[in-house]
Amino acid sequence: IGPSILAFFSQPAFLEEIVKYCINLTDSLMVLKESMRTPDFAAFLIECESNPLCRRKHLKELIPNPMQRVTKYPLLLQQIQKNTEPNSKEFDKLSECLVSIKTFASK
């Protein structure tokens, strides 16, 4: 799992997009709030959110999900690492991933 996650978080384009997303998160929520003042948009959003595929989730709750996931990756990797043989290559890769993800998440 270590090499896969390390490769995932080593992609500069991915990292740049996540950083942009996180920077614009507050603005996105404000735009959504302002857009809800438009009756047509509000009705459309309510209709979409009532779809069973949405599992009773509202858009305002879904917007922060990518940022929240990024901050949870270190916790997940720490738990995986606790159950990995300390002298293995996988343990070393997980350690490298943890450093990479913590550095990224601190941005």
Side-chain angles (χ1 to χ4, degrees):
I1 192 168
S4 300
I5 293 175
L6 190 57
F8 185 69
F9 277 93
S10 297
Q11 299 175 25
F14 169 75
L15 298 176
E16 289 174 21
E17 294 307 314
I18 291 290
V19 169
K20 285 180 196 175
Y21 189 90
C22 293
I23 289 170
N24 292 312
L25 183 64
T26 303
D27 291 340
S28 299
L29 291 170
M30 287 191 324
V31 168
L32 176 62
K33 186 176 180 179
E34 290 172 14
S35 297
M36 289 300 292
R37 294 182 186 153
T38 307
D40 289 342
F41 179 80
F44 172 74
L45 190 58
I46 289 169
E47 181 182 333
C48 290
E49 291 173 343
S50 65
N51 185 316
L53 293 173
C54 290
R55 300 181 190 163
R56 299 184 195 180
K57 300 274 185 176
H58 297 279
L59 183 57
K60 67 181 177 187
E61 298 166 351
L62 296 173
I63 290 174
N65 278 357
M67 183 183 72
Q68 292 169 347
R69 281 208 181 116
V70 168
T71 59
K72 290 180 183 178
Y73 281 127
L75 300 174
L76 173 64
L77 289 178
Q78 286 171 345
Q79 290 301 313
I80 294 170
Q81 192 177 40
K82 282 182 184 177
N83 294 299
T84 304
E85 187 67 37
N87 297 327
S88 68
K89 290 181 182 179
E90 190 68 24
F91 189 88
D92 294 339
K93 286 290 184 186
L94 287 167
S95 297
E96 196 176 335
C97 287
L98 274 165
V99 169
S100 177
I101 292 171
K102 285 179 180 180
T103 301
F104 172 72
S106 68
K107 290 183 181 183

